[in-house]
Amino acid sequence: MALSSGTPEPDSPRPPGDSDRRGGVRYRRAALMGVPAFLAASTLVVLTAQGALAAQFAISGMPFTVTADTLEGTGFGQFGALDNMAEGSPNAGDTGGQVLVIVTAIREAKLTNLCQSVELGGTNLVITAGNKGTPVKASGLTTDSTEMAAKLAEFDNIEIGGDASTFEKPPIKGPLGSFGQQADTVDIKNVRQNNYATTATRFTLPDLHMGFSSKGC
């Protein structure tokens, strides 16, 4: 919002808020258009498990790490989105309360040796599961990530460059006009993600353990 003084210039008037609104739209379009280059370049070597309805809740703005030895899934999809923090969040910094994320959605997933950690003022809250022979299972799994890596990623019948709003394989669709990719199945080894949100319609965590540690995942 700009402040003005004196007599308005005799240009054709714009509707109130028009400039701000257009600027916001341009910013979001530019941000979302930046995702395809990253996704296309990293498709066959960097993919993941972190997230999916592109969080339909206000994120805390505190990133957390997720790792797994293996991730196997059916009904895979991925696209770019923006996550939002609660208004006035102390974690917003210079982001304006928004984080550009890569949303990964998997209809049914299994993970072995799952670890999740978040840094809390000099210590780490660490959660582990699926490390004693029974894998973690998730339905409707979605993750919102800023960084992802894997030793190996394999896909069956992958489609790259589709409009994410038309996807049928993953459990959710992306925004209209957004670049995306989908596949029948995904098999990823040594997954590591930097996430801001994870959602699932059902999450089964065998051998769950939660505690504090000087080291994260």
Side-chain angles (χ1 to χ4, degrees), residues 52-131:
L53 268 173
Q56 295 298 307
F57 52 85
I59 62 172
S60 70
M62 298 177 65
F64 56 96
T65 300
V66 174
T67 64
D69 287 351
T70 63
L71 184 151
E72 300 176 359
T74 58
F76 167 88
Q78 195 171 60
F79 51 86
L82 283 168
D83 281 355
N84 294 277
M85 301 176 204
E87 185 175 356
S89 171
N91 301 319
D94 59 359
T95 66
Q98 292 183 318
V99 180
L100 181 64
V101 295
I102 303 165
V103 177
T104 303
I106 302 177
R107 194 171 294 277
E108 297 291 340
K110 292 194 300 184
L111 304 95
T112 60
N113 197 21
L114 175 68
C115 180
Q116 176 180 301
S117 65
V118 58
E119 185 178 355
L120 301 172
T123 190
N124 295 273
L125 175 61
V126 180
I127 300 171
T128 60
N131 54 4

Side-chain angles (χ1 to χ4, degrees), residues 143-198:
T143 57
D144 296 6
S145 311
T146 55
E147 294 183 25
M148 300 178 293
K151 182 177 181 180
L152 177 67
E154 297 180 310
F155 305 89
D156 286 334
N157 297 323
I158 190 168
E159 303 169 5
I160 302 172
D163 187 314
S165 69
T166 67
F167 285 177
E168 296 180 350
K169 296 178 181 181
I172 62 166
K173 302 177 185 294
L176 177 65
S178 60
F179 175 101
Q181 53 195 15
Q182 63 175 345
D184 289 344
T185 67
V186 60
D187 186 354
I188 307 177
K189 309 297 184 185
N190 296 338
V191 183
R192 186 176 187 86
Q193 300 173 310
N194 187 62
N195 294 343
Y196 276 88
T198 297

